[in-house]
Amino acid sequence: MLIVMNSQATSDQIDHVVERLSAIGAEAHVSRGEFRTVIGAIGDDAVIASIPLEALDGVERVMPVLK
């Protein structure tokens, strides 16, 4: 799962998403770019999808990674 943060996302908002993922046993890989931050979530897709990530502050969109 890829979580794309909006361009105004704060470090606290990014950390909160990472903490939510860690709480369910998922790994979070943060990639900070010049304009966007992307968080790659690795773990059980069904469990990750059960979190309303789109509703968290700073999240622009959530995209599944297709095989």
Side-chain angles (χ1 to χ4, degrees):
M1 192 80 62
L2 290 177
I3 300 111
V4 180
M5 304 300 290
N6 67 39
S7 59
Q8 290 84 28
T10 65
S11 291
D12 287 341
Q13 291 170 334
I14 294 166
D15 291 343
H16 180 68
V17 172
V18 171
E19 289 168 6
R20 291 292 301 267
L21 291 168
S22 295
I24 60 159
E27 276 187 62
H29 295 272
V30 179
S31 297
R32 298 180 195 275
E34 187 175 345
F35 301 107
R36 292 272 188 278
T37 297
V38 176
I39 302 169
I42 300 174
D44 186 335
D45 289 339
V47 175
I48 295 170
S50 71
I51 301 173
L53 294 168
E54 299 88 355
L56 298 178
D57 289 337
V59 174
E60 183 173 301
R61 66 182 175 270
V62 177
M63 302 180 311
V65 175
L66 304 175
K67 292 182 180 180

